[in-house]
């Protein structure tokens, strides 16, 4: 029953039922707990990862929907503390409060900035629909701007 | 202008809470001492390591507001610690040093963490500093008073000698703590008052912060649970044979609150749970709906109830005019982003728990009662909390007790992580109570309240919990009326009454607490009375508040807010404004909300806040709390409500219990106001409540329709941001 799954550049053999959501494969099978469970209906975005660079919610996405050639990137696969421009901006502005939604938020922003290096307010609003119950959105917007500037200046 | 008798003097919010101690006898753990490379551990709160690390055990849970950083700033300030070497750690013992200084039990709540620890942490830091200094003075043969401390270094200015704190741990550990310490004057602060970056900023930006749901242990098992769908219902019977036959399923157990499946992965436990054939026995409440509850509340509101505040004589015939109104508030679920969970290992006589919780000291008593294991054999390892807003301060420790019962009943030697589904949380009760306010106010010739009758209908949060005696004051649950009782706006004839209905829908504190309904009511009334009198809402409030000392901070915030929002300038065409100010958790916060109306769309034009929370430990962290509170409040305004049909919660997830999105939430221009208080007061919950009436006033100005229920019914209007 095993199949291959590429996560953060590493190829894993996973032996779980193909209808298992990718989120739970990442968390319970591969031990990558940075990606979070929030709702189970892909409504909140806490489970967001990149699949071939596209922000993708995974809590109800069956493993079978991911091709063996596709590249999954989780929060653990970004460059690491303070090196990725989005993570760096997040830390500099102390965006996180409880922090639980922020992995998914950051992955959405990485995808947003890849598509729109200088996003408009409307593009930010359309591209970042992750829910944050603490309500960090003002700092999120600031951090997106800072990360965009850092990326352009780099 | 108010004739306040001694009985009506505003009480400290939690004065009665000292009885929370719960009679819990826990043996303090012995602090490590004696070894050569020993750290200096003058308190369970603080350890200074030989490598200069300053380790501060957090006596409160950080629900997200950043108190770990703030509490560390307070202690490190008096210690003169090197901020770069300060680390915070979660508590995992119940040592006396970690108890809430006012409540006498380890717990977090009511926006008290920094305010309550202010003196304690400063004294802990100052005392440790004095012991380090004394150790250096002894070694160098000089007077302690001649030595200077900074950044974890002691300097003798006369000789130029220096020593790091880490070099002095053994010597300091041998000293007796000073009988008294002198604390710094505010002018000497170097850490308090600075917007230092949060200490958790990296681990919460790279996915490495471990929340309760992330706990990994050898041989960890996972559990999912089914609860009775109707409030007041219980398990009748179940057939778990099919589930037990599924691969990786290790146990199917019934516990008092439901049926759980334990498996090798949570997804498999959830799938197996769905195969269970469960019969629930609905209680009598299964015939009830929200409409039934509102009818009961309306009936109560139509008649007199017991008075919690009464003075003078109501005489509406003597009034120049009489106004009446009502406002209603729904049940609200906390819905923290991290679904409730706890990991329990129960083997024989011991119970270990890993969880994000606000209530360690109270949880232990609940766990002991539920498992039969002695409290001193129960350990709680605190983890990061993925939000709480009061939900992880569960009076009966529901999710922790369930985890322990599942682990215990299954008989497995392994740790079991019980994770609720989102629907278990949203449908599971412990809601902000639904509330109905109805008032009748007779006005004097100036349009000010002279005769005020007010009825609140609201279920009690504390009744039947360990907190009943703490929160019941003179026969009334303060958790139902805080924010209304002793309002400075009321005139000389007052009769405020509380009806306390009961129902099986459990209720609990939620960020902002009773003020989430009393502030929209009281401030909404005042805004309407000002409008009716043709008065400016700032001027009208000042007239009601008078110049008594008890209103000085409110007046200070009003002045700052009026200036910051440029209120004196009339708004441009198409911009509609509202304001409100409210005192809660010892702090005063006011908002001006400006909405731009285009056709049927209301867009945030500007939101301005003024906030007096006493001494500000970390200004950026406080500003972030104000801005994020607006998001939290906006969720309440725009769509959140739990309704009941057939005794069950209708809503279950974020698709029908919406959280305000980035696109909806405005930026907030926050102004911190110093009215001279010499200590910090509450922060995290305070701004939620005043935003609601300020928004309502702007909506009323823009639409011409009065707000009488939450969430807002906008009659064809929509609120948008971008």
């Amino acid at each position: 029953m095993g199949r291959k799954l590429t996560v953060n550049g590493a190829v894993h053999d996973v032996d779980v039922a193909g209808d298992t959501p990718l989120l739970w494969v990442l968390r319970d099978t591969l031990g990558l707990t940075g990606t979070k469970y929030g709702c189970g209906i892909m409504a909140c975005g806490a489970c967001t990862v990149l699949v071939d660079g596209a922000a993708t919610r995974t809590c109800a996405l069956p493993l079978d929907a991911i091709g063996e050639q596709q590249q999954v990137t989780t929060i653990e696969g970004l460059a690491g503390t303070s090196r990725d421009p989005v993570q760096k901006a997040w830390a500099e502005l102390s965006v996180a409060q409880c922090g639980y939604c922020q992995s998914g938020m950051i992955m959405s922003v990485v995808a947003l900035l890849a598509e729109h290096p200088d996003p408009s307010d409307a593009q930010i609003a359309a591209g970042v629909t992750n829910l944050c119950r603490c309500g960090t959105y003002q700092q999120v917007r600031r951090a997106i701007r800072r990360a965009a500037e850092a990326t352009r200046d780099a | 202008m108010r004739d306040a008798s001694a009985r009506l003097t505003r009480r400290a919010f939690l004065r009665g809470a000292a009885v929370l101690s719960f009679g819990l006898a826990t043996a303090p753990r012995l602090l490590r001492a004696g070894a050569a490379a020993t750290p200096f551990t003058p308190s369970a709160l603080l350890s200074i390591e030989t490598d200069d690390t300053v380790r501060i055990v957090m006596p409160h849970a950080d629900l997200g507001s950043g108190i770990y950083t703030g509490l560390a700033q307070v202690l490190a300030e008096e210690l003169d610690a090197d901020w770069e070497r300060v680390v915070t750690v979660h508590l995992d013992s119940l040592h006396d040093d970690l108890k809430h200084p006012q409540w006498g039990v380890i717990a977090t709540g009511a926006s008290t963490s920094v305010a309550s620890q202010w003196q304690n942490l400063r004294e802990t830091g100052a005392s440790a500093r004095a012991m380090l200094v004394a150790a250096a003075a002894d070694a160098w043969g000089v007077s302690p008073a001649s030595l200077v401390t900074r950044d974890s270094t002691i300097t003798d200015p006369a000789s130029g000698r220096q020593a790091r704190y880490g070099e002095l741990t053994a010597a300091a550990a041998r000293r007796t703590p000073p009988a008294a310490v002198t604390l710094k004057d505010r002018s000497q602060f170097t850490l308090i008052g600075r917007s230092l970056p949060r200490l958790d900023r990296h681990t919460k930006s790279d996915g490495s912060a471990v929340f309760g749901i992330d706990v990994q242990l050898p041989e960890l098992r996972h559990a999912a649970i089914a609860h009775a769908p109707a409030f007041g219902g219980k398990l009748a019977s179940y057939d778990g044979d099919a589930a037990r036959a599924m691969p990786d399923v290790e146990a199917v157990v019934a516990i008092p609150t439901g049926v759980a499946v334990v498996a090798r992965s949570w997804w498999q436990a959830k799938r197996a749970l769905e195969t269970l054939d469960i019969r629930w026995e609905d209680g009598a409440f299964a015939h009830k709906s929200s409409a039934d509850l509102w009818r009961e509340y309306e009936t109560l509101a139509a008649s007199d109830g017991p008075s919690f505040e009464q003075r003078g004589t109501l005489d509406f015939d003597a009034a120049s005019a009489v106004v009446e109104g009502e406002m209603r508030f729904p049940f609200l679920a906390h819905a923290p982003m991290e679904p409730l969970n706890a990991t329990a290992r129960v083997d024989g006589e011991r119970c270990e728990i890993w969880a994000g919780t606000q209530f360690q000291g109270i949880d232990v008593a609940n766990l002991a009662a539920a498992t039969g294991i002695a409290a001193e054999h129960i350990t709680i390892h605190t983890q990061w909390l993925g939000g709480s807003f009061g939900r992880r301060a569960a009076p009966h420790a529901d999710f922790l007790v369930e985890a322990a019962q599942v682990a215990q009943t299954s008989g497995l030697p392994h740790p079991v992580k019980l994770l609720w589904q989102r629907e278990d949380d949203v449908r599971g009760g412990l809601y902000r109570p639904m509330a109905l306010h109805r008032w009748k106010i007779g006005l004097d010739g100036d349009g000010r309240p002279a005769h005020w009758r007010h009825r609140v209908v609201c279920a009690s949060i504390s009744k039947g919990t360990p907190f009943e005696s703490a929160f019941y004051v003179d026969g009334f649950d303060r958790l139902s009326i805080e924010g209304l009782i002793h309002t400075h706006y009321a005139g000389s004839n007052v009769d405020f009454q509380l009806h306390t209905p009961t129902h099986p829908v459990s209720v609990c504190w939620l960020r902002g607490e009773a003020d989430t309904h009393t502030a929209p009511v009281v401030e909404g009334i005042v805004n309407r009375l000002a409008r009716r009198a043709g008065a400016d809402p700032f001027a009208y409030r000042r007239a009601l508040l008078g110049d008594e000392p008890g209103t000085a901070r409110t007046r200070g915030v009003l002045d700052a807010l009026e200036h910051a929002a440029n209120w004196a300038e009339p708004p441009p065409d198409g911009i509609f404004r509202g304001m409100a100010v409210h005192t809660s958790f010892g702090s005063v916060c006011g908002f001006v909300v400006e909405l731009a109306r285009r056709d049927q769309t209301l867009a945030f034009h500007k939101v301005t806040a003024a906030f007096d929370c006493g001494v500000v430990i970390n200004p950026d962290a406080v500003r972030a709390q104000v801005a994020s509170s607006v998001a939290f409040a906006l969720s309440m305004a725009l769509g959140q409500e739990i309704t009941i049909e057939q005794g069950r919660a209708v809503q279950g997830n974020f698709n029908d219990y919406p959280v305000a999105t980035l696109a909806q939430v405005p930026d907030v221009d926050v102004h911190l106001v110093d009215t001279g208080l010499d200590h910090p007061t509450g922060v995290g919950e305070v701004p939620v409540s005043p935003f609601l009436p300020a928004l309502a006033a702007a909506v009323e100005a823009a639409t011409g329709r009065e707000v009488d229920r939450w969430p807002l019914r906008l009659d064809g209007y929509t609120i948008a941001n971008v």
Side-chain angles (χ1 to χ4, degrees):
Chain A
M1 282 293 288
R3 53 152 290 169
K4 297 198 186 311
L5 180 67
T6 306
V7 181
N8 301 330
V11 181
H12 300 268
D13 284 307
V14 293
D15 185 15
V16 297
D19 60 355
T20 307
L22 177 60
L23 170 68
W24 295 105
V25 178
L26 294 172
R27 288 183 56 85
D28 282 354
T29 308
L30 301 183
L32 296 170
T33 56
T35 308
K36 304 303 188 194
Y37 164 63
C39 67
I41 58 170
M42 303 210 284
C44 77
C47 61
T48 304
V49 303
L50 303 181
V51 177
D52 292 340
T56 304
R57 296 181 179 183
T58 59
C59 66
L61 179 73
L63 176 62
D64 278 347
I66 305 294
E68 295 207 347
Q69 304 307 313
Q70 288 191 288
Q71 301 285 326
V72 175
T73 307
T74 70
I75 187 76
E76 292 91 348
L78 293 190
T81 301
S82 299
R83 296 218 302 276
D84 177 84
V86 178
Q87 285 178 327
K88 187 164 184 284
W90 245 248
E92 284 173 356
L93 294 178
S94 291
V95 171
Q97 290 191 15
C98 90
Y100 191 77
C101 73
Q102 299 295 345
S103 295
M105 192 78 81
I106 286 169
M107 300 313 283
S108 292
V109 171
V110 168
L112 171 78
L113 293 180
E115 190 178 356
H116 305 291
D118 185 16
S120 66
D121 288 347
Q123 285 166 336
I124 291 172
V128 183
T129 55
N130 302 54
L131 302 181
C132 172
R133 190 74 170 114
C134 295
T136 60
Y137 301 120
Q138 181 165 341
Q139 289 299 90
V140 167
R141 280 192 288 261
R142 287 183 181 159
I144 291 171
R145 299 248 170 267
R146 178 170 296 200
E149 282 167 27
T151 306
R152 286 198 305 277
D153 294 346
Chain B
M1 66 162 287
R2 246 183 85 236
D3 177 24
S5 70
R7 178 177 163 266
L8 297 173
T9 304
R10 191 175 178 87
R11 291 166 194 254
F13 178 49
L14 284 167
R15 178 176 297 171
V19 300
L20 278 179
S21 56
F22 223 64
L24 190 64
T26 54
R29 296 180 168 199
L30 289 176
L31 300 174
R32 282 171 291 166
T38 187
F40 171 38
T41 307
S43 153
L45 288 158
L46 173 66
S47 176
I48 300 171
E49 319 279 333
T50 53
D51 68 355
D52 288 332
T53 300
V54 174
R55 192 177 303 276
I56 307 176
V57 175
M58 292 287 111
H60 294 294
D62 193 332
L63 318 182
S65 66
I67 60 158
Y68 272 23
T69 303
L71 293 172
Q73 280 179 260
V74 172
L75 193 154
E77 176 72 66
E78 296 288 350
L79 181 60
D80 278 335
D82 179 353
W83 182 250
E84 299 303 317
R85 305 307 306 273
V86 170
V87 298
T88 57
V89 294
H90 301 308
L91 71 81
D92 64 358
S93 85
L94 296 179
H95 193 282
D96 282 351
D97 292 348
L98 303 169
K99 287 180 174 173
H100 190 296
Q102 275 85 54
W103 301 350
V105 64
I106 294 178
T108 301
S111 291
T112 60
S113 295
V114 173
S116 71
Q117 293 287 351
W118 169 246
Q119 191 74 12
N120 184 37
L121 293 187
R122 291 177 78 200
E123 287 174 358
T124 300
S127 175
R129 176 190 166 278
M131 294 163 78
L132 289 157
V133 166
D138 254 15
W140 296 338
V142 299
S143 155
S146 69
L147 301 180
V148 177
T149 52
R150 185 177 175 178
D151 290 342
S152 297
T153 301
I154 301 175
T155 303
D156 176 10
S159 66
R161 278 177 297 202
Q162 287 195 324
R164 300 280 304 171
Y165 285 179
E167 302 171 59
L168 294 162
T169 57
R174 287 192 293 271
R175 308 212 52 101
T176 307
V181 290
T182 305
L183 301 178
K184 290 182 182 177
D185 181 77
R186 280 179 76 172
S187 63
Q188 298 171 289
F189 289 163
T190 60
L191 294 175
I192 291 172
R194 279 175 59 196
S195 289
L196 296 169
R198 290 175 60 128
L199 294 169
D200 54 5
R201 65 193 181 280
H202 293 300
T203 60
K204 288 184 177 177
S205 303
D206 64 12
S208 64
V210 175
F211 296 83
I213 196 174
D214 302 326
V215 166
Q216 304 290 321
L217 292 165
E219 296 297 314
L220 180 66
R221 300 296 187 263
H222 300 265
I225 190 164
H227 296 115
F231 290 103
K234 61 182 184 185
L235 179 67
S237 65
Y238 74 100
D239 181 349
D241 287 348
R244 287 190 185 92
M246 290 174 70
D248 291 338
V249 170
E250 300 199 348
V252 181
V253 296
I255 63 170
T257 51
V259 184
V261 174
V262 183
R264 285 181 165 267
S265 74
W266 185 76
W267 188 253
Q268 186 67 353
K270 176 183 178 292
R271 286 161 55 109
L273 191 75
E274 287 160 358
T275 71
L276 292 181
D277 181 11
I278 307 177
R279 289 193 174 76
W280 302 102
E281 185 182 314
D282 285 348
F285 190 72
H287 304 291
K288 292 292 184 73
S289 67
S290 286
D292 297 319
L293 289 174
W294 283 122
R295 270 193 293 277
E296 292 170 20
Y297 279 41
E298 286 160 10
T299 302
L300 288 168
S303 61
D304 282 329
S307 300
F308 60 85
E309 181 169 356
Q310 196 170 26
R311 62 175 175 273
T313 306
L314 293 185
D315 182 358
F316 294 107
D317 294 336
S320 295
V322 175
V323 296
E324 296 184 74
E326 70 166 42
M327 199 176 280
R328 55 184 66 197
F329 300 82
F331 291 122
L332 290 175
H334 305 70
M337 293 306 301
E338 180 193 11
L340 297 173
N341 67 84
T343 299
R345 178 160 56 203
V346 182
D347 49 6
E349 297 302 304
R350 307 196 75 83
C351 172
E352 257 185 302
I353 299 281
W354 292 259
T357 172
Q358 295 181 228
F359 259 14
Q360 295 90 340
I362 295 143
D363 295 336
V364 163
N366 281 311
L367 287 161
T371 61
I373 293 173
E376 59 266 30
H377 292 154
I378 298 173
T379 305
I380 297 178
H381 305 283
T382 306
Q383 309 296 317
W384 285 116
L385 297 79
S388 178
F389 318 107
R391 183 59 183 85
R392 288 182 158 92
H396 300 294
D398 53 359
F399 60 103
L400 301 128
V401 163
E402 284 190 351
Q405 288 174 330
V406 170
Q408 190 175 38
T409 309
S410 69
L412 295 169
H414 313 303
V416 177
K417 184 190 291 177
L418 172 66
L419 169 62
W420 286 18
Q421 300 180 56
R422 171 59 59 196
E423 291 80 2
D424 294 319
D425 165 48
V426 174
R427 298 200 168 117
L430 287 185
Y431 301 135
R432 194 283 305 271
M434 59 184 265
L436 175 62
H437 287 245
R438 191 169 285 178
W439 58 87
K440 181 175 182 181
I441 300 173
L443 305 175
D444 67 15
D446 295 324
R448 298 175 194 166
H451 304 267
W452 187 331
R453 190 184 69 206
H454 198 110
R455 296 189 186 122
V456 183
V457 186
C458 181
S460 168
I461 289 171
S462 68
K463 191 102 187 155
T465 74
F467 310 98
E468 183 173 334
S469 60
F471 287 110
Y472 261 77
V473 179
D474 300 334
F476 298 94
D477 189 346
R478 294 295 288 258
L479 297 173
S480 300
I481 55 177
E482 198 67 38
L484 169 64
I485 187 171
H486 306 150
T487 173
H488 290 282
Y489 295 135
S492 45
N493 302 291
V494 165
D495 186 4
F496 289 174
Q497 306 169 358
L498 174 66
H499 289 284
T500 308
T502 59
H503 47 60
V505 184
S506 55
V507 293
C508 191
W509 29 64
L510 176 139
R511 189 181 191 178
E513 302 187 7
D515 302 87
T516 60
H517 54 96
T518 58
V521 166
V522 173
E523 289 293 307
I525 289 171
V526 170
N527 278 330
R528 287 178 202 175
L529 294 182
R531 202 157 58 228
R532 195 176 194 287
D536 174 85
F538 282 88
Y540 185 83
R541 282 173 170 78
R542 289 194 184 96
L544 295 184
L545 294 172
D547 58 2
E548 61 177 289
T551 66
R553 294 175 76 199
T554 301
R555 287 181 277 122
V557 168
L558 283 172
D559 291 350
L561 180 64
E562 187 176 31
H563 179 74
N566 198 19
W567 185 269
E569 188 88 15
D573 278 353
I575 303 295
F576 299 87
R577 307 187 296 188
M579 60 79 58
V581 64
H582 186 70
T583 300
S584 59
F585 307 100
S587 294
V588 186
C589 186
F591 283 93
V592 167
V593 173
E594 299 175 57
L595 296 173
R597 189 186 72 196
R598 286 182 206 87
D599 302 322
Q600 297 285 99
T601 302
L602 309 177
F604 285 102
H605 178 67
K606 184 154 195 266
V607 177
T608 308
F611 190 25
D612 175 6
C613 58
V615 173
V616 175
I617 311 303
N618 187 314
D620 277 358
V622 173
R623 287 188 197 99
Q625 284 308 295
V626 178
S628 59
S629 291
V630 165
F632 196 84
L634 201 54
S635 292
M636 296 177 176
L638 295 186
Q640 286 184 343
E641 70 181 310
I642 297 292
T643 55
I644 306 293
E645 293 296 337
Q646 295 187 313
R648 295 150 165 81
V650 173
Q651 295 75 20
N653 208 318
F654 293 125
N655 57 330
D656 50 14
Y657 189 73
V659 170
T661 62
L662 180 144
Q664 294 174 302
V665 175
D667 281 351
V668 183
D669 179 26
V670 182
H671 297 260
L672 303 181
V673 183
D674 181 356
T675 58
L677 208 67
D678 66 355
H679 58 275
T681 50
V683 174
E685 301 180 72
V686 178
V688 172
S689 302
F691 176 77
L692 297 168
L695 173 65
V699 167
E700 290 181 351
T703 67
R705 291 158 216 204
E706 290 199 339
V707 170
D708 63 0
R709 62 192 307 149
W710 300 82
L712 300 172
R713 295 284 196 278
L714 291 166
D715 295 333
Y717 286 90
T718 56
I719 293 183
N721 184 25
V722 181

